[in-house]
DNA sequence: GCTTGCGCTGGAGTGCGCTCCAGGTCCGAG
DNA sequence: CTCGGACCTGGAGCGCACTCCAGCGCAAGC
């Protein structure tokens, strides 16, 4: 019980949520957090409901929903039944997006892991990427660039210059 | 040699990777993708090694590594043994970051799911967020704002203005 | 050979999401 | 009463990661 703590000041909210004070003010101005009250002297006061709202907004923002979309979600009138399904649909769309992000992250994780294993292997064998023993696909740059042909197919017989830039704005 | 397809043109790379042509050029200029050749007439030519490199870079970028850090990773000399451990450490750090992101995403997913369930419940019961029957924490804004007290504790008896902005820069 | 169009370069421009600042009010400590 | 500090508002500024553009050269279908 009594765990509600009544309303918090902006500093406390900032510390609890990790959002900067400026961000909290900005979110409010942008219409992402309603329910923020003011003390009689004009200071922000965040009741528990606002805190809950902020956590939802944070989840939406962290998962990549643009500020404009969060605002749109928020502005569907205050909890009226007729908007529940709209809000729910928006949340479900975002949930789908999150699931896709997780999938993508796992894919990318696999790419990194493969690369890490590769380096570990090369290190234990004491090899550079270019070493013959390292194998064809050793490093991203393990292969040679000379296997270079015109993009659309063998275009010009001339390949005198062979490699090119290899940039590196070091 | 069969499936290697030799080198690709920028358009093909763009289609295969989903990166825009402009982005590919920009990444190259920024030193994120070495190994890009040129045909004798100056057009970009991406050998298989570059393609593999791009996929790694994509994984790094998509998982939130800043361009500057990717460049740093890339510029650790071409596959020399002495840098393997450095590269590996960077990749491992990024892997850690990915894992944290996945965790965070799951947390946020739980928040959304809870909210979705809540709306579903309210809809089937035909309730607004404010309805008594909806329960204390019905909606983020389900609570009343009037429960407003000074942040640092009961400050002033005055609370005349009640709610606040509700901005809406629509 | 002419024309349509892809690609090249260097540099300027853009959108998003904050972040910082100036100038002012109010509060509590000393 | 005075001073330092937290907060207020409105608005300007900023960093990142692209994205767009002008002006030009090669390329290849007709």
């Amino acid at each position: 019980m009594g765990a509600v703590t009544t309303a918090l000041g902006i500093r406390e909210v900032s510390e609890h949520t990790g959002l900067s004070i400026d961000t909290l003010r900005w979110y409010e101005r942008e219409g992402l957090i309603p329910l923020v009250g003011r003390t009689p002297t004009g200071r922000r006061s965040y009741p528990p409901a606002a805190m809950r709202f902020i956590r939802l907004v944070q989840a939406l923002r962290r998962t990549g929903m643009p500020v404009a979309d969060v605002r749109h979600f928020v502005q569907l009138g205050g909890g009226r039944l007729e908007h529940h399904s709209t809000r729910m649909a928006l949340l479900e769309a975002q949930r789908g997006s999150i699931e896709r992000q997780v999938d993508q992250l796992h894919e990318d994780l696999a790419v990194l892991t493969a690369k890490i294993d590769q380096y570990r292997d090369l290190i234990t064998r004491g090899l550079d990427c270019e070493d013959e023993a390292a194998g064809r696909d050793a490093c991203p740059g393990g292969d040679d660039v000379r296997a270079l042909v015109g993009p659309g197919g063998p275009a010009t017989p001339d390949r005198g210059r062979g490699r090119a830039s290899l940039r590196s704005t070091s």
Side-chain angles (χ1 to χ4, degrees), chain A:
Chain A
M1 310 283 99
V4 199
T5 330
T6 67
L8 301 178
I10 197 166
R11 175 162 305 272
E12 294 158 304
V13 175
S14 168
E15 280 157 6
H16 277 71
T17 62
L19 294 171
S20 78
I21 288 178
D22 269 321
T23 298
L24 284 167
R25 288 199 271 246
W26 184 72
Y27 275 9
E28 188 185 340
R29 260 188 275 175
E30 291 295 309
L32 307 204
I33 342 182
L35 307 172
V36 180
R38 288 290 187 284
T39 65
T41 66
R43 304 199 162 188
R44 265 166 261 257
S45 166
Y46 297 80
M51 293 304 290
R52 272 180 266 128
F53 212 110
I54 290 173
R55 277 188 240 284
L56 177 58
V57 166
Q58 260 190 305
L60 295 175
R61 287 290 305 119
R62 269 197 302 246
T63 57
M65 183 182 283
V67 165
D69 294 10
V70 176
R71 175 167 43 230
H72 176 219
F73 172 84
V74 168
Q75 288 179 350
L76 291 171
R80 305 273 292 100
L81 173 58
E82 48 181 324
H83 292 128
H84 287 354
S85 62
T86 313
R87 285 181 190 253
M88 209 173 86
L90 290 172
L91 292 183
E92 277 170 341
Q94 188 63 10
R95 184 176 55 182
S97 156
I98 295 175
E99 279 156 3
R100 284 190 301 282
Q101 288 178 59
V102 171
D103 289 351
Q104 180 69 72
L105 242 26
H106 277 119
E107 251 180 64
D108 294 335
L109 185 57
V111 170
L112 287 228
T113 301
K115 212 82 210 140
I116 288 169
D117 291 349
Q118 198 176 83
Y119 281 123
R120 200 193 329 279
D121 181 54
L122 287 172
I123 289 172
T124 60
R125 294 165 63 200
L127 300 173
D128 277 7
C129 291
E130 293 76 12
D131 288 335
E132 280 306 317
R136 216 76 286 281
D137 291 359
C139 293
D143 281 34
D144 202 345
V145 195
R146 265 166 294 256
L148 190 163
V149 184
T156 36
D158 174 335
R159 88 260 310 279
R161 28 203 324 287
R163 70 155 25 67
S165 38
L166 239 306
R167 296 278 83 227
S168 136
T169 321
S170 88

